[in-house]
């Protein structure tokens, strides 16, 4: 029987909200068994870029990453956000280690090709994640804290969507553990009506997703999140939940099946 492993992905909006972040780190620290934290940090990157006079360009919720912006996200994701989370987890009794995909070659990616005529710049689409290497760290009692940065094996860092990092990490670790993947953010789950915080859809299957996408119930940034969740289930991840950052114990949320 496989040991349990919980992967929690925390979004950039929560990283910027001190009350939510403190509660999430406390709850994460209390999770029994092995665990991994994956973080975003887009809002912080946008703020830092602004102070440096660098414009943030977004297309469908995805950041265009030119050379200047790559420097910003590398500093913010791999340094400022990642190391602050590591330090705070240490204060909560969790022996954490901050990682990008380049560290120990744990996540390799390629530069995203032109898509619908859009050049996303230094953005990475994942080729592979090394679950065996991550499992060695985990077995030593170390909690990886994964930043949304990968590398291409040619010396280049690439900006990579944090939901994708969480999904690919979960998929890579599924052969070794009984994996639960939790996408935590500022809502109670996937909402049927965006303006009604209590309109949580309790479960979403592949068929549900296709229907909700077609009728517009689900749109925008929630689409890739659910696609990542479904991909994780297809790859052998046991449970995937999309839920409120302050409720990672499962009392709220949308279960992806």
């Amino acid at each position: 029987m496989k040991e349990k492993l919980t992967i929690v992905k925390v979004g950039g909006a929560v990283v910027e909200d001190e009350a939510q972040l403190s509660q999430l780190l406390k709850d994460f620290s209390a999770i029994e068994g092995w665990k991994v934290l994956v973080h975003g940090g887009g809002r912080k990157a946008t703020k830092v870029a602004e102070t440096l006079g660098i414009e943030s360009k977004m297309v469908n919720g995805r950041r265009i990453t030119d050379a200047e912006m790559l420097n910003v996200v590398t500093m913010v994701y791999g340094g400022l956000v990642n190391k602050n989370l590591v330090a705070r987890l240490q204060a909560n009794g969790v022996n954490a280690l901050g990682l990008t995909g380049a560290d120990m070659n744990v996540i390799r990616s390629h530069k995203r090709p032109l898509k619908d005529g859009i050049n996303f710049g230094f953005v990475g689409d994942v080729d592979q994640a090394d679950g065996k290497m991550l499992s060695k760290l985990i077995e030593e009692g170390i909690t990886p804290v994964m930043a949304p940065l990968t590398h291409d094996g040619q010396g280049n860092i690439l900006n990579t969507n944090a939901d994708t990092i969480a999904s690919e990490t979960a998929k890579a670790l599924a052969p070794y553990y009984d994996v639960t993947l939790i996408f935590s953010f500022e809502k109670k789950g996937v909402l049927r009506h965006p303006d009604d915080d209590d309109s949580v859809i309790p479960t979403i299957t592949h068929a549900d997703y296709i229907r909700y996408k077609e009728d517009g119930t689900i749109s925008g940034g929630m689409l890739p999140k659910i696609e990542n969740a479904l991909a994780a289930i297809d790859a052998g991840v046991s449970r995937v939940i999309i839920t409120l950052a302050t409720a990672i114990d499962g009392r709220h949320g949308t279960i992806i099946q």
Side-chain angles (χ1 to χ4, degrees), residues 111-125:
K111 191 175 177 183
R112 180 175 296 170
L114 281 174
K115 196 172 182 180
D116 300 326
I118 300 164
N119 181 1
F120 280 91
F122 295 97
V123 167
D125 289 331

Side-chain angles (χ1 to χ4, degrees), residues 12-245:
V14 176
V15 168
E16 286 289 280
D17 185 312
E18 179 54 37
Q20 286 192 76
L21 182 61
S22 292
Q23 187 62 51
L24 178 128
L25 293 175
K26 182 180 176 182
D27 293 343
F28 178 81
S29 301
I31 292 172
E32 293 184 3
W34 306 125
K35 50 202 168 194
V36 176
L37 185 65
V38 179
H39 67 83
R43 294 193 184 189
K44 179 71 75 175
T46 298
K47 284 184 180 178
V48 171
E50 190 178 341
T51 64
L52 295 172
I54 298 168
E55 183 186 357
S56 292
K57 302 184 187 77
M58 310 290 284
V59 176
N60 296 327
R62 299 295 177 97
R63 186 181 299 275
I64 303 289
T65 307
D66 60 14
E68 280 191 319
M69 186 57 72
L70 181 65
N71 286 338
V72 172
V73 298
T74 301
M75 289 187 292
V76 173
Y77 300 164
L80 187 62
V81 174
N82 188 269
K83 297 313 172 192
N84 274 312
L85 290 174
V86 168
R88 292 180 67 165
L89 286 173
Q90 298 290 3
N92 277 278
V94 176
N95 193 13
L97 174 69
L99 296 172
T100 70
D103 297 298
M104 302 190 307
N105 193 30
V106 291
I107 304 181
R108 182 84 66 93
S109 63
H110 62 272
K111 191 175 177 183
R112 180 175 296 170
L114 281 174
K115 196 172 182 180
D116 300 326
I118 300 164
N119 181 1
F120 280 91
F122 295 97
V123 167
D125 289 331
V126 173
D127 292 319
Q128 63 185 55
D130 191 341
K132 186 175 182 181
M133 186 60 75
L134 284 170
S135 70
K136 287 180 179 179
L137 282 178
I138 291 164
E139 294 294 333
E140 289 296 325
I142 294 167
T143 296
V145 179
M146 310 285 292
L149 299 166
T150 57
H151 77 125
D152 65 359
Q154 307 299 315
N156 300 301
I157 290 281
L158 295 170
N159 182 14
T160 304
N161 178 266
D163 287 342
T164 302
I165 296 283
S167 176
E168 294 293 338
T169 299
K171 286 156 65 175
L173 288 168
Y176 304 93
Y177 302 99
D178 176 13
V179 177
T180 296
L181 172 58
I182 301 170
F183 290 99
S184 69
F185 70 144
E186 62 274 17
K187 302 291 184 182
K188 292 180 181 178
V190 182
L191 303 180
R192 192 178 300 275
H193 307 293
D195 297 331
D196 180 359
D197 284 347
D198 292 319
S199 64
V200 175
I201 302 170
T203 60
I204 294 176
T205 63
H206 275 280
D208 293 332
Y209 172 65
I210 292 167
R211 188 173 73 254
Y212 290 142
K213 183 179 179 181
E214 287 176 351
D215 69 17
T217 299
I218 297 171
S219 61
M222 188 54 68
L223 294 173
K225 191 183 294 288
I226 296 175
E227 286 167 4
N228 277 306
L230 289 167
I233 290 290
D234 289 345
V237 173
S238 298
R239 288 165 296 280
V240 180
I241 304 166
I242 299 175
T243 190
L244 191 67

